[in-house]
Amino acid sequence: MDGTPQEITTLVGREVYSNNGVFVGEVEDVRLDLGQQSVTGLALGELSQELFAGRIEAGKGVMIPYRWVRAVGDVILINDVVERLEDEDEDEEVVA
C-alpha cells in the first residue's frame, strides 16, 4: 500500500485471499473506529467452503481484524492465520 488515501467503499466487493493464495471470502462491509478514523475490521461473506465448513452456518459471515491485512490491491491479501484452521482439523483427525 502506498499510503495514498482511498475511499473505504472501494474495499467492499473485493475478494480476500491468504498470502498463500487460498480464497477466504468477499468483503461485504467494513468496521470503523470513528475516533481514530481507521478501519478496524472486514466483514466477509461468500466464504470459502473449504476453510469454514462445519464452523460457520451457511449464509453467515466472519469478521477479520484489519491488522491481518498484508496488502490491498485488486484483491486483499491477509496473513495465513485462517489457513491454520484446516491444519488444526487435520491434527485432530490424526489424534482421534
Side-chain angles (χ1 to χ4, degrees), residues 13-72:
R14 293 201 186 180
E15 292 181 337
V16 177
Y17 290 86
S18 73
N19 59 339
N20 292 327
V22 175
F23 176 74
V24 178
E26 185 176 303
V27 177
E28 288 188 350
D29 206 352
V30 179
R31 183 174 59 194
L32 303 172
D33 179 339
L34 297 177
Q36 297 290 324
Q37 297 183 353
S38 63
V39 176
T40 60
L42 299 175
L44 304 184
E46 303 296 325
L47 300 173
S48 165
Q49 293 302 310
E50 293 176 35
L51 290 177
F52 296 102
R55 288 190 166 80
I56 307 294
E57 293 178 36
K60 301 282 184 173
V62 297
M63 180 72 71
I64 61 165
Y66 197 75
R67 68 179 179 272
W68 289 4
V69 173
R70 297 177 57 96
V72 176

Side-chain angles (χ1 to χ4, degrees), residues 51-92:
L51 290 177
F52 296 102
R55 288 190 166 80
I56 307 294
E57 293 178 36
K60 301 282 184 173
V62 297
M63 180 72 71
I64 61 165
Y66 197 75
R67 68 179 179 272
W68 289 4
V69 173
R70 297 177 57 96
V72 176
D74 292 337
V75 297
I76 297 172
L77 295 179
I78 63 170
N79 291 327
D80 68 346
V81 175
V82 176
E83 289 179 272
R84 294 179 190 166
L85 292 172
E86 283 188 330
D87 293 341
E88 290 174 9
D89 281 349
E90 290 172 8
D91 291 344
E92 289 173 7

